[in-house]
Amino acid sequence: MGVGVFAFLGTLAVISALGVILQRSPVHSLLALVATLLALSGLMIGLGAVAIGFLQAIVYVGAIMVLFLFVIWLLNLQRDPGEPGRLAVKFFGAIAVAALVAELFAFFVRAPMSPMETSSSYGSVDRLADLIFSRYLVAFEVASLMLLVAVVGAVAVARRWPGDEARPNGAVGADRPVLQQARRA
Amino acid sequence: MLINLLIDTAKAIVAVLLVLNLSAVLLWFERKGSALIQDRIGANRAAIFGIGRRLGMPNLGVTNTFVADPLKMFTKEDFVPDQADKFLHALAPFLSLFPVLITFAVVPFGDRLIIGSRVIDLQVCQLDAGVLYLLAALGVGVYGAALAGWASNNRWALLGGVRASAQMISYELAMGLAIIAIVMTFGTLDLQDICRQQGSVWFGWLPKWGILYQPLAFLLLFTAGIAETKRIPFDMPEGESELIAGYFTEYSGGKQAAFMLTDFAEVVLVSALVTTFFFGGWQVPYLHPDGLHFPGVGPILLPNLIVALLGVVAFGMKVVFFCWLQILLRWTLPRFRYDQLMYLGWKVLLPLGLLNLAATAVVIVALG
């Protein structure tokens, strides 16, 4: 990847990341986050991690961010009125941010800056698939199992069970342990 | 170096212009075709000096569709609602059109063209991970409709935007599963490579097109693709009897034209994908790089230019055929109800896609 392209995408990523926290409207913040993710996936693709770069665009931009958009719509989030925060929050927040910046600085100063030797197929789909389905097969399967469990759990918590219809507002599971519902299923 | 850049630019411009022009032709075809189906006359206004009538031809509505309507669209008042989010309202039409147009970068429209010592691959961008690029671009396409609905500050538009994004996300899954089955069959993510592999024949006469390997995946991809175009029978996001015009209710003039163009460009895209994955792309049966090889007949040798041109023409004809099929479906079928749409997407297409994937995997392992 040329230096110019890298500088452009990097600047775009930083500016849009700032946009995420500086915008008052949640939808604008979300769009800035989408731009950040696209810039990052462009950087990854340029640096040779083709599969990860495209997967980030597909999964995060194409699916997860759209779900965020739904959450913003359904919760009817409005523009942040921009109330001044409490002094204590600002004070400790500033300290935390300073500590984070110092830590990152210390990390990058010590990080090796010489380019790593990589093969030409590094980061390609073939190479990634080889690793996932041989060396990291168990980790990969366990991760997908965990995701499946999370999905089933989310459905079990959110779903209306027989007898819940009488309850006004459908406040399911608000007064009952989730486990008890799951046992009845 | 410079000449390579020029060639790449030319390929990109040709691909985009082909899509945009085919979209305009489809608009005309849709008007006259729907009139034919519904026993009406259809677009017949705005003739220039009545040339066609003097020659004794019926008014075909060509001037109407290609000159008068675009002029009207782009000279109309560009209305922005009072409380709308002005920036996003202006951005949404482009966010809708742009991802569809860039998708054509990886769709191959022909085989190699050899000029002198230079070999030109008739595909705008040769990408090893072409299918991933395709899915990423389709994923970005959701935002146009969703944000148009939200930014308009209109409840019908918002409902249309919510419906559009829910529908597109749901059907992208079925689409992805169908494409993964094809990727497993051909063992590559490069669309040009997928086309090349469909060039050989079985038993000496049957072309190895994708539809013969994956008939179920073809149905899944075509159905999910039509749902992605948001046209009847999947046009709940616009549903004019319920939502006025859905997510583009508050758009007028050129921006509304951009949404209309997106719909037609998506029709072309679905046709191009179905052609590439299941009907050999630019492959002409029995046409090899050196000429025609009919079974049982000696080879008829052809120069490379003719072969490349035949490929491009074949691709165009297949794409136009599937565009025609989609327009026919659009004017034949009634609109689904929203729950039927979700039922079809999640409880019919998705399980079928998973089943197809499992069956494909078993067959691939069994055949070694």
Side-chain angles (χ1 to χ4, degrees), chain B residues 34-51:
Chain B
S34 68
L36 196 68
I37 290 173
Q38 299 179 335
D39 200 16
R40 294 183 282 114
I41 295 172
N44 66 346
R45 301 288 113 179
I48 296 178
F49 307 130
I51 296 172

Side-chain angles (χ1 to χ4, degrees), chain B residues 245-321:
Chain B
Y247 58 92
F248 54 78
T249 301
E250 294 285 6
Y251 282 89
S252 58
K255 292 178 187 165
Q256 200 265 332
F259 280 118
M260 209 157 76
L261 200 57
T262 309
D263 277 9
F264 283 108
E266 277 176 337
V267 170
V268 180
L269 176 66
V270 170
S271 308
L273 291 186
V274 165
T275 304
T276 306
F277 288 139
F278 299 102
F279 292 89
W282 40 261
Q283 298 277 2
V284 183
Y286 315 124
L287 185 69
H288 291 249
D290 58 343
L292 284 160
H293 292 253
F294 287 114
V297 185
I300 305 165
L301 297 181
L302 292 170
N304 169 266
L305 184 67
I306 305 270
V307 173
L309 269 180
L310 275 176
V312 175
V313 170
F315 180 72
M317 281 169 64
K318 290 175 194 175
V319 168
V320 169
F321 171 78

Side-chain angles (χ1 to χ4, degrees), chain A residues 25 27-28 31 34 38 50 54-55 57-58 61-63 65-66 69-70 73 125, chain B residues 85 88 127 129 132-133 135-136 139-140 143 146-147 150 158 162 165-166 169 189:
Chain A
S25 151
V27 172
H28 287 190
L31 269 189
V34 167
L38 283 178
V50 179
F54 279 123
L55 287 180
I58 294 170
V61 177
M65 285 298 121
V66 181
L69 200 60
F70 267 83
W73 279 340
V125 182
Chain B
D85 187 319
L88 288 186
L127 211 57
L132 292 182
Y133 170 85
L135 291 173
V140 176
Y143 289 96
L147 288 174
W150 183 80
L158 181 61
V162 173
S165 35
I169 289 244
L189 291 166

Side-chain angles (χ1 to χ4, degrees), chain B residues 213-235:
Chain B
Y213 290 100
Q214 293 284 356
L216 188 59
F218 162 68
L219 284 178
L220 290 174
L221 184 71
F222 199 47
T223 314
I226 295 175
E228 291 277 315
T229 63
K230 304 189 285 298
R231 284 155 57 84
I232 291 174
F234 297 100
D235 77 328

Side-chain angles (χ1 to χ4, degrees), chain A residues 18-58:
Chain A
L18 282 175
V20 177
I21 52 174
L22 294 180
Q23 302 276 357
R24 292 233 183 274
S25 151
V27 172
H28 287 190
S29 285
L30 182 130
L31 269 189
L33 187 54
V34 167
T36 314
L37 289 168
L38 283 178
L40 285 183
S41 63
L43 280 176
M44 289 176 188
I45 294 163
L47 291 172
V50 179
I52 299 293
F54 279 123
L55 287 180
Q56 158 143 326
I58 294 170

